[in-house]
Amino acid sequence: MFWSVTLSLLEGLREVVKLFALTLVFSLPLGLAVTFGSMSKCRPVSWFFNVLVWIVRGTPLMLQLILIFYGPGIWLGHNIWGSQRMLACTVAFVLNYACYFSVIYRGGIEGVPAGQREAGEVLGLTRRQIFFKITLLQMVKRIVPPMSNEIITLVKDTSLARIIAVYELIWAGQTFIKGAAIIWPLFMTGIFYLAFSGILTLLFGYIEKKLSYFSA
């Protein structure tokens, strides 16, 4: 029984890792794009992105999953996702976390003293050069702690995928309550989550130490 439980949980963990990785790969750059949009000097553009961030951050991820998966089928008359539930789930997670990351990016950018950007302009640097050579390096140091919190939260949020019937870790553990009337697989599920989060915590701690050369 132990090995069958372990294999089932590993299968669920595989789906969690897949969703986690896909979300980060697409939401990190998309979040930066949303940041630039929200900081745009063009008022309609900045208004659009700020409202988008406000809506996404102000509503539950579970609700967004339901709307993104079931909404097109109701509004368009056919399910555009077909059997690709993981794809729909990934889209919802990417949109949600891109908006959260955009706020963190924006805080990091605005936290860099304006005088340093002005100094770059005096030296004749272009906006692109100022961003990559002055702003970006300091922004990375500032955003690592809040970004690490969001990424660790993402690990736990993957459990919401089951709301649209995407197989994941908790689903794998709960199956044994119904099938074999045993509850200890859920405790193993908790160990898997703790291990995943622990590895990320160590990784971000290492990154923060590596970036400590920015400290005054």
Side-chain angles (χ1 to χ4, degrees):
M1 176 62 74
F2 176 80
W3 290 113
S4 62
V5 170
T6 301
L7 290 174
S8 180
L9 292 179
L10 286 174
E11 184 179 350
L13 179 63
R14 182 187 63 187
E15 297 304 306
V16 166
V17 172
K18 182 192 300 184
L19 179 58
F20 174 85
L22 288 172
T23 300
L24 286 187
V25 166
F26 293 105
S27 64
L28 287 172
L30 180 59
L32 193 58
V34 173
T35 301
F36 292 144
S38 65
M39 297 177 69
S40 173
K41 294 181 179 179
C42 178
R43 292 186 65 85
V45 173
S46 63
W47 180 86
F48 171 79
F49 282 102
N50 281 315
V51 170
L52 174 64
V53 170
W54 174 68
I55 292 174
V56 171
R57 293 180 70 218
T59 56
L61 176 55
M62 182 183 295
L63 176 62
Q64 296 163 25
L65 278 165
I66 294 171
L67 287 176
I68 287 175
F69 183 71
Y70 294 105
I74 296 172
W75 301 323
L76 303 177
H78 67 280
N79 187 358
I80 64 173
W81 305 111
S83 61
Q84 299 297 319
R85 294 176 182 269
M86 176 60 79
L87 176 60
C89 189
T90 301
V91 169
F93 270 74
V94 168
L95 176 61
N96 182 276
Y97 273 85
C99 289
Y100 276 94
F101 289 154
S102 72
V103 176
I104 297 174
Y105 286 141
R106 183 168 183 168
I109 292 173
E110 293 178 343
V112 178
Q116 296 192 23
R117 293 191 291 271
E118 293 170 357
E121 293 175 355
V122 171
L123 293 173
L125 299 178
T126 64
R127 287 187 176 182
R128 181 183 179 86
Q129 290 174 323
I130 291 172
F131 178 76
F132 284 101
K133 294 184 177 181
I134 298 176
T135 305
L136 181 61
L137 296 178
Q138 297 183 66
M139 180 193 77
V140 170
K141 166 64 178 177
R142 296 171 186 273
I143 69 173
V144 167
M147 192 69 78
S148 64
N149 287 336
E150 286 297 328
I151 292 175
I152 291 174
T153 298
L154 171 59
V155 175
K156 294 172 286 185
D157 277 352
T158 56
S159 62
L160 295 175
R162 63 179 305 168
I163 198 66
I164 58 171
V166 173
Y167 188 79
E168 44 74 48
L169 191 53
I170 291 182
W171 187 335
Q174 191 175 11
T175 300
F176 292 92
I177 296 179
K178 300 176 180 178
I182 53 175
I183 197 170
W184 59 264
L186 285 182
F187 291 99
M188 286 187 65
T189 299
I191 292 173
F192 275 69
Y193 278 112
L194 286 171
F196 199 166
S197 299
I199 292 171
L200 291 175
T201 300
L202 293 174
L203 175 61
F204 283 113
Y206 174 77
I207 293 174
E208 286 189 53
K209 288 182 180 179
K210 282 294 184 179
L211 293 174
S212 62
Y213 57 80
F214 281 119
S215 300

